[in-house]
Amino acid sequence: MKKTLLTLSIVAVTFTCASAADKVLARVNGKPITESQLKEVLNRLPANYNSVKNNPQFREQILNTLINQEILYQEAKKENIEKDKKVQEQIEEAKKQIVINALLEKHLKINDVKVSDEEAKAFYEKNKAQFTDTNGKQVPFDAVKPFIVQTLEQQKKREAFMMAFNKYIDELKKKNKVEIVK
């Protein structure tokens, strides 16, 4: 009995510490919006937001967005919006897409692609007419090299993804019975 009480006490303390560590930043009709929720949103932002993620005004804007979302969600629940047939269909479609994306993320690992200096230079030479300033003067290769490398890397990643995707789909089609009925 003492061992059970001790275990329950430890579990209670653990939950209390875990929730205490997750600071409540706001409440909407009693529902807390926490620091971890804010951090999760900030962490999902693209890399070009890294410089503002710790900016107090930016964090406040994101917190206000979370508050607004919760208010709207609660209002939609009050009005039973989620029971509407069209909304149910959209929820199912969104759920399907999320699950598919998770499956693809699990099975389609695209390794980091690299673009050589020679590839970047060849792209620059082939498209030189596109790299001029507002006065029509040629922009030097070194000035546009990072942009070219980024563009070519994205292109290679898309190509690698499509190749892996098509291969994966072909494998799945071989394993599954697909019937086209006309």
Side-chain angles (χ1 to χ4, degrees), residues 60-160:
E60 188 175 327
Q61 284 178 336
I62 299 298
L63 176 60
N64 282 324
T65 299
L66 290 171
I67 290 167
N68 293 344
Q69 284 179 335
E70 185 58 35
I71 289 170
L72 290 168
Y73 182 69
Q74 288 182 18
E75 190 62 27
K77 291 204 55 104
K78 281 183 206 171
E79 294 183 20
N80 288 316
I81 299 294
E82 66 186 25
K83 292 184 180 178
D84 179 89
K85 186 180 179 199
K86 283 186 178 182
V87 173
Q88 283 295 314
E89 290 170 359
Q90 291 174 335
I91 289 170
E92 281 306 309
E93 191 57 39
K95 180 179 174 183
K96 186 178 177 180
Q97 197 56 54
I98 290 167
V99 171
I100 289 169
N101 288 343
L103 175 75
L104 293 176
E105 197 172 297
K106 177 182 178 183
H107 289 281
L108 303 183
K109 302 290 184 203
I110 307 301
N111 297 326
D112 284 339
V113 295
K114 300 291 179 205
V115 173
S116 69
D117 288 345
E118 293 79 26
E119 288 174 295
K121 186 71 170 169
F123 181 87
Y124 175 80
E125 292 299 328
K126 184 177 178 183
N127 300 284
K128 224 174 191 175
Q130 295 178 15
F131 300 108
T132 56
D133 63 17
T134 54
N135 298 325
K137 187 178 174 186
Q138 190 68 46
V139 177
F141 171 70
D142 289 338
V144 293
K145 181 180 174 185
F147 168 77
I148 291 172
V149 168
Q150 181 182 19
T151 301
L152 292 176
E153 283 176 353
Q154 287 173 346
Q155 183 180 7
K156 281 185 169 188
K157 282 181 183 178
R158 273 193 304 275
E159 289 169 1

Side-chain angles (χ1 to χ4, degrees), residues 16-31:
T16 304
C17 291
S19 60
D22 196 8
K23 181 179 174 188
V24 174
L25 303 175
R27 282 191 174 80
V28 177
N29 296 319
K31 176 143 184 350

